[in-house]
Amino acid sequence: MSRPTPRTPSPPPSSLDPAVAGRLKRNADGLVAAVAQQYDTGEVLMLGWMDDEALHRTLTTGRCTYWSRSRGEYWVKGDTSGHFQWVKSVALDCDGDTVLVKVDQVGAACHTGDRTCFDSGQLALDG
């Protein structure tokens, strides 16, 4: 009988503070949602995914590090695009399943080149 292959590769052991790691409620892939928000305007920029190591790197380097589900690797926002996210603060929500990263965004946050990933327009409300 063959074993199923995991959805994401096992990340290296993390140096994330055990007290923080203990508060995280990860999805089946070991990830938590990470919302990036412009620190001074409150503008919601994007949603990415972090595991323990990505969060540790974000907290220790001052630059947002995410886990790319499509590429199966870590990426630091701005390394290839030049559109950096400089971390101002990090907070964990009450359930432990979402991280709010307040950043100073330099350039576009979205891979499409838009300022935010939510620039494609509002959805109409029924009623």
Side-chain angles (χ1 to χ4, degrees):
M1 180 179 348
S2 65
R3 290 184 169 177
T5 55
R7 289 189 205 165
T8 56
S10 296
S14 174
S15 299
L16 184 63
D17 179 332
V20 174
R23 293 178 58 200
L24 294 178
K25 184 177 179 184
R26 300 159 194 85
N27 68 13
D29 294 324
L31 303 171
V32 295
V35 176
Q37 180 182 35
Q38 179 64 34
Y39 82 100
D40 54 353
T41 65
E43 179 180 34
V44 177
L45 301 169
M46 61 173 279
L47 173 93
W49 295 93
M50 293 183 180
D51 64 5
D52 290 26
E53 181 60 21
L55 180 55
H56 168 72
R57 292 179 189 187
T58 297
L59 291 168
T60 58
T61 66
R63 293 189 52 210
C64 283
T65 300
Y66 299 99
W67 175 257
S68 172
R69 297 176 302 162
S70 60
R71 294 188 306 254
E73 63 186 19
Y74 295 104
W75 58 280
V76 180
K77 187 69 173 169
D79 273 0
T80 57
S81 67
H83 301 161
F84 298 98
Q85 289 180 342
W86 301 104
V87 177
K88 297 294 187 175
S89 67
V90 180
L92 188 59
D93 80 335
C94 60
D95 296 322
D97 61 0
T98 305
V99 175
L100 176 63
V101 187
K102 292 189 178 182
V103 302
D104 189 9
Q105 176 71 47
V106 176
C110 188
H111 70 279
T112 65
D114 286 337
R115 169 72 182 160
T116 83
C117 292
F118 301 96
D119 279 349
S120 64
Q122 302 259 338
L123 301 178
L125 297 174
D126 289 339

